[in-house]
C-alpha cells in the first residue's frame, strides 16, 4: 500500500497526454531516449490537483516550478499563461472537471549526445502533462504506517530538497527501505538526526494541541505544508516549524502527512509504535480513532482554503474575460 494509491478508473486507459504541444493517447505519448529527463533526471515537475474545475493553489505551484527551473537554468519556453494554457488544454481534451491529478514535467530537453553537460540539450525544454482521473484511496481508519529509514534528506549543498526534480533517487531509496520493512512510507531524518519529512510527503505531529513540523531546511517546500501552517494560524492552532526528535514523534498524540495528492493523511504508527498511546493507554483496542481531532479540524480548514482559492481563481477569470471584451 502506498500513500498515493487511487481507485482504479477505466477512463485512464484512454487519457490524452500533452507532449510538447501535442495531445497524444497514452500508448503513443513518448519522449526521446536522448531526453535529459530520461538520461539524467534533469528536470522539474509539479503534482497538481483539480477541485471542481480549478487547479488548487495553482499560483503557488507555478511559482515553485518557475523558480526551480530558473535556478537550474531550464528555460520552459513558455510564460505562466502558456503553461496554464497547456494544462487547461489537456484538461479540456480529457473532459476532466473534478477529482483529477496532473503531473506536469519540464526537462532540459533532448540532448545531442548521451552525456551530462547541460549545454548538450539544444532543442529546448520538453513539457509533458499526464492527467489522470484520481480518487485517492483513503486509509483514514487504518492510518499510514511509517518506519524510520537510514536514508536521510541531505544538506542543501548536496541536493537541495526544495528542487522537485525528476531525480528522486534519494526518496526512492528511502521508499524501498520502508517497503522492505513492511511500512507504507519512510520517515526520513535530517542530517542532524531531527525528524524531517517522508519520502513523498511532508510530516506533521500534534502534541498537546500544538502542531509541529520540521524547520523546512531539509525538506520539500510543499504547497500543502505551507497551506496547513497558514490554516493553523488562521484557526488559532499553535503551529511551529522547529527541530524535534523521534522521541517527540513517537510520543505524539496525532501525526499526519501532507501533499497535493492526499491533502492530509493520518499516521497510525511509527516504527511499529501506535501514536496516541504514550499517555498511559495500554490496550491496542484502546488506541484513539483516526484521523485525530486536530487532524480533522485542519482538514476542514484546508478544504475551506481550497474552496476560497477556487473562488478567487474564478473571480480573476471573470475579470480577465470582462476586460478582454
Ligand atoms: C518529497 C516530497 N515531499 C513532499 C511533497 C508534497 O508537496 P506538495 O504539498 O507541494 O504536493 C512532494 C510532492 O511533490 C514530494 O515529492
Amino acid at each position: 500500500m502506498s500513500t498515493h494509491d487511487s481507485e482504479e478508473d477505466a477512463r485512464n486507459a484512454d487519457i490524452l497526454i500533452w507532449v510538447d504541444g501535442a495531445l497524444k493517447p497514452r500508448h503513443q505519448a513518448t519522449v526521446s531516449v536522448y531526453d535529459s529527463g530520461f538520461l539524467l533526471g534533469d528536470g522539474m515537475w509539479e503534482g497538481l490537483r483539480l477541485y471542481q474545475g480549478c487547479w488548487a493553489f495553482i499560483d503557488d505551484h507555478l511559482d515553485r516550478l518557475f523558480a526551480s527551473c530558473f535556478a537550474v537554468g531550464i528555460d520552459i519556453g513558455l510564460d505562466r499563461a502558456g503553461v496554464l494554457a497547456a494544462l487547461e488544454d489537456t484538461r479540456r481534451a480529457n473532459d476532466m472537471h473534478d477529482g483529477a491529478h496532473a503531473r506536469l514535467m519540464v526537462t532540459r530537453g533532448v540532448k545531442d549526445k548521451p552525456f551530462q553537460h547541460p549545454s548538450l540539450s539544444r532543442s529546448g525544454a520538453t513539457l509533458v502533462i499526464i492527467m489522470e482521473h484520481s480518487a485517492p484511496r483513503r486509509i483514514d481508519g487504518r492510518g499510514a504506517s511509517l518506519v524510520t529509514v537510514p536514508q536521510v534528506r541531505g544538506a542543501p549543498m548536496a541536493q537541495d530538497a526544495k528542487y522537485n526534480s525528476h531525480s528522486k533517487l534519494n526518496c526512492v531509496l528511502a521508499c524501498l527501505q520502508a517497503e522492505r520493512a513492511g511500512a507504507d512510507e519512510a520517515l526520513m531524518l535530517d542530517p542532524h538526526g531531527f525528524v524531517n519529512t517522508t519520502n513523498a510527503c511532508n510530516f506533521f505531529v500534534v502534541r498537546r494541541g500544538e502542531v509541529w513540523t520540521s524547520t523546512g531546511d531539509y525538506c520539500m517546500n510543499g504547497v500543502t505544508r505551507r497551506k496547513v501552517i497558514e490554516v493553523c494560524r488562521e484557526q488559532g492552532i499553535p503551529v511551529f516549524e522547529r527541530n524535534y526528535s523521534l522521541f517527540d514523534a513517537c510520543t505524539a498524540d496525532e501525526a499526519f502527512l501532507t501533499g497535493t495528492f492526499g491533502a492530509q493523511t493520518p499516521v497510525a504508527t511509527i516504527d511499529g509504535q501506535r501514536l496516541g498511546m504514550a499517555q498511559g493507554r495500554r490496550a491496542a483496542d484502546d488506541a484513539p480513532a483516526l484521523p485525530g481531532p486536530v487532524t480533522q479540524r485542519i482538514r476542514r480548514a484546508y478544504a475551506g482554503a481550497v474552496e476560497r482559492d477556487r473562488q478567487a481563481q474564478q473571480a480573476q477569470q471573470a475579470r480577465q474575460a470582462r476586460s478582454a471584451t
Side-chain angles (χ1 to χ4, degrees):
M1 189 88 192
S2 99
T3 54
H4 284 65
D5 277 344
S6 55
E7 302 296 339
E8 288 301 320
D9 193 320
R11 293 174 297 175
N12 286 331
D14 299 319
I15 50 170
L16 294 170
I17 295 175
W18 178 282
V19 185
D20 277 339
L23 284 157
K24 304 204 169 162
R26 65 185 284 167
H27 62 279
Q28 291 170 17
T30 55
V31 294
S32 165
V33 293
Y34 280 81
D35 193 275
S36 55
F38 177 75
L39 283 173
L40 303 158
D42 184 7
M44 299 292 163
W45 61 276
E46 285 297 316
L48 301 151
R49 205 153 176 89
L50 187 68
Y51 291 86
Q52 296 179 60
C54 276
W55 297 101
F57 309 122
I58 186 67
D59 276 342
D60 302 81
H61 285 283
L62 290 179
D63 282 351
R64 186 170 63 186
L65 178 73
F66 273 88
S68 301
C69 287
F70 174 80
V72 297
I74 294 178
D75 177 0
I76 301 178
L78 295 170
D79 60 11
R80 287 170 80 99
V83 172
L84 193 53
L87 194 63
E88 280 296 277
D89 283 354
T90 313
R91 181 181 75 75
R92 277 191 291 271
N94 285 298
D95 194 22
M96 290 172 176
H97 304 282
D98 194 30
H101 198 84
R103 194 173 179 103
L104 187 155
M105 293 162 275
V106 182
T107 76
R108 200 178 297 277
V110 178
K111 287 186 171 307
D112 287 355
K113 300 273 176 210
F115 302 119
Q116 188 194 95
H117 203 289
S119 69
L120 292 169
S121 293
R122 295 187 183 135
S123 62
T126 302
L127 172 62
V128 173
I129 305 172
I130 301 176
M131 205 172 281
E132 293 191 340
H133 299 279
S134 155
R137 200 170 274 162
R138 294 272 171 215
I139 51 170
D140 277 3
R142 174 173 81 81
S145 61
L146 307 184
V147 288
T148 47
V149 294
Q151 194 71 27
V152 299
R153 292 303 273 289
M157 71 283 213
Q159 181 167 326
D160 198 326
K162 293 184 177 63
Y163 286 120
N164 208 8
S165 75
H166 279 220
S167 45
K168 284 274 172 189
L169 187 60
N170 175 262
C171 301
V172 172
L173 287 171
C175 190
L176 281 170
Q177 290 160 0
E179 190 179 32
R180 287 184 194 127
D184 297 322
E185 190 138 335
L187 183 59
M188 302 175 79
L189 306 181
D190 72 17
H192 310 289
F194 295 111
V195 172
N196 184 15
T197 187
T198 72
N199 57 279
C201 298
N202 291 114
F203 178 72
F204 288 74
V205 294
V206 181
R207 293 179 55 86
R208 297 174 189 239
E210 293 181 355
V211 174
W212 295 4
T213 194
S214 61
T215 59
D217 291 339
Y218 302 97
C219 66
M220 167 64 61
N221 46 349
V223 171
T224 323
R225 175 185 188 276
R226 176 56 43 205
K227 297 295 161 192
V228 163
I229 292 169
E230 283 171 18
V231 299
C232 281
R233 290 187 180 137
E234 281 163 22
Q235 295 283 313
I237 302 171
V239 59
F240 301 96
E241 294 175 86
R242 52 167 290 171
N243 286 323
Y244 63 96
S245 68
L246 270 175
F247 168 83
D248 304 310
C250 77
T251 58
D253 303 312
E254 301 172 36
F256 58 90
L257 310 173
T258 66
T260 297
F261 178 86
Q264 293 82 35
T265 304
V267 173
T269 59
I270 297 174
D271 294 333
Q273 282 186 300
R274 182 76 204 229
L275 296 182
M277 301 295 283
Q279 302 307 318
R281 281 196 171 99
R282 291 176 66 80
D285 55 10
D286 198 19
L290 295 172
V294 178
T295 308
Q296 284 191 42
R297 193 173 158 204
I298 289 170
R299 256 195 188 171
R300 282 193 297 273
Y302 177 81
V306 170
E307 177 54 19
R308 283 201 306 275
D309 176 70
R310 192 179 75 81
Q311 286 173 8
Q313 286 188 46
Q314 283 183 337
Q316 191 187 352
Q317 281 159 14
R319 274 196 303 278
Q320 280 166 351
R322 272 199 302 277
S323 65
T325 53

